Amino acid sequence: MDDLVKQALAKWPNVPHCYGWLGLDARGHWRMRDQQAQQQQLPGDKIAHAALLNFINRNYGQDERGCWFFQNGPQRVYVNLEATPYIARSDPRHGFVLQTGAPLAQVEQVYWCDNGALILRHGDIVAQVDDRDMAQVLDALRLDGQAASDEALLAWLADGQGQLTLSHAGQEIAVQALAYAKVAPTFGFQPAPAGQ
């Protein structure tokens, strides 16, 4: 967290929280959700200002309820998550990079969901792979130690037969099946935080 943010929190500790105005989409874009976007359940406008994006990324965290937020000075701006708290892109140097720009060099668990989403977990980081990178990531999947065809992968999703792994950073990480509807409760985060 930025020092200026810490100073603002100390100076104004009781600023009301903000809900619904900031979103993170499934491709890792931060979105400003004005009142119209909120009322019509729209994703909102992409934030493109580089300095603002860097500020959000540096001051992004979670509370004890599993709600993710951006600490904007003394105000906590809660984030509506279209997918997971982080979005991962494939990266030739690091393997995966999060929307914050931080590398995700290690992966402890991999989940493949019934809607085709791939979820990576390392410690407190839960990241859905950006769908634009799935073709490349699918090439790193092995079924019973062999490269898997699209048909074999679809069959695994349907019946879970065989040992599916993701080759990453010199390791073979077991892939587990997970219903997409259970992603948030499994990892303990709130997709749409609301006031207490």
Side-chain angles (χ1 to χ4, degrees):
M1 189 178 296
D2 288 0
D3 286 338
L4 286 175
V5 171
K6 291 176 186 175
Q7 292 168 7
L9 279 168
K11 189 172 182 179
W12 298 290
N14 298 316
V15 174
H17 301 323
C18 177
Y19 293 90
W21 286 82
L22 184 64
L24 177 66
D25 71 20
R27 290 188 166 173
H29 298 116
W30 294 106
R31 293 184 171 267
M32 183 61 65
R33 302 181 68 243
D34 62 15
Q35 193 168 14
Q36 180 181 356
Q38 291 177 53
Q39 289 172 347
Q40 296 179 6
Q41 302 293 331
L42 299 172
D45 297 326
K46 283 185 199 175
I47 298 173
H49 191 275
L52 177 56
L53 290 169
N54 288 332
F55 186 57
I56 293 171
N57 290 331
R58 286 192 314 269
N59 296 286
Y60 182 54
Q62 68 174 317
D63 68 13
E64 66 285 346
R65 300 177 297 153
C67 299
W68 286 81
F69 63 87
F70 153 54
Q71 191 68 48
N72 183 21
Q75 185 174 52
R76 189 170 279 188
V77 179
Y78 281 94
V79 178
N80 284 25
L81 304 170
E82 183 180 352
T84 53
Y86 293 96
I87 303 300
R89 299 284 324 262
S90 61
D91 180 79
R93 183 170 166 211
H94 300 290
F96 293 102
V97 173
L98 303 174
Q99 87 275 0
T100 61
L104 181 63
Q106 294 182 322
V107 176
E108 294 169 20
Q109 295 175 315
V110 180
Y111 298 85
W112 201 6
C113 300
D114 50 359
N115 69 345
L118 197 69
I119 309 292
L120 310 174
R121 191 191 72 74
H122 175 68
D124 291 337
I125 296 171
V126 177
Q128 179 172 304
V129 174
D130 186 321
D131 65 335
R132 296 171 293 185
D133 289 15
M134 280 301 292
Q136 182 176 349
V137 175
L138 289 176
D139 289 341
L141 291 174
R142 301 286 177 263
L143 186 59
D144 296 327
Q146 303 296 317
S149 67
D150 291 346
E151 294 77 19
L153 292 174
L154 289 172
W156 185 90
L157 268 176
D159 62 27
Q161 296 296 313
Q163 177 65 36
L164 187 64
T165 59
L166 174 70
S167 298
H168 175 70
Q171 295 181 310
E172 293 294 324
I173 306 158
V175 178
Q176 304 171 59
L178 181 63
Y180 196 71
K182 295 186 178 184
V183 170
T186 296
F187 298 109
F189 66 85
Q190 301 294 325
Q196 296 177 335

